[in-house]
């Protein structure tokens, strides 16, 4: 049985969903500017990025934090697209 994590704002949200949302919001270039990893800068793909993020805790933490900050700017749950 899975434990509840009431203090974890990304509990239950798939890493792939977070990544897809951030790609839509910022694009690969914007994502690379915010999180400095090669897989966002050179020939980026969702698949290679997910492999890297799952193996690299600090990068996964940064992605989750950016997702939380991006969602916080959009309290109504509408798609957030920065200018």
């Amino acid at each position: 049985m899975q434990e509840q994590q009431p203090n974890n704002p990304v509990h239950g949200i798939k890493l792939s969903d977070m990544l897809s949302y951030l790609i839509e919001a910022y694009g690969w270039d914007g994502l690379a500017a915010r999180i400095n990893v090669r897989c966002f800068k050179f020939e980026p793909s969702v698949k290679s990025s997910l492999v890297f993020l799952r193996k690299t805790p600090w990068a996964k933490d940064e992605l989750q934090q950016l997702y939380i900050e991006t969602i916080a700017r959009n309290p109504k749950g509408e798609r957030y697209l920065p200018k």
Side-chain angles (χ1 to χ4, degrees), residues 24-35:
E24 183 177 326
Y26 300 110
W28 285 110
D29 290 337
L31 196 53
R34 289 166 176 80
I35 303 173

Side-chain angles (χ1 to χ4, degrees), residues 15 37 39 49-63:
L15 188 60
V37 294
C39 63
S49 296
L50 287 172
V51 169
F52 177 78
L53 291 166
R54 288 183 180 123
K55 291 181 179 181
T56 314
W58 67 264
K60 180 179 175 182
D61 291 344
E62 285 192 28
L63 183 95

Side-chain angles (χ1 to χ4, degrees), residues 15-27:
L15 188 60
S16 60
D17 292 340
M18 284 186 260
L19 180 60
S20 295
Y21 184 85
L22 293 172
I23 293 166
E24 183 177 326
Y26 300 110

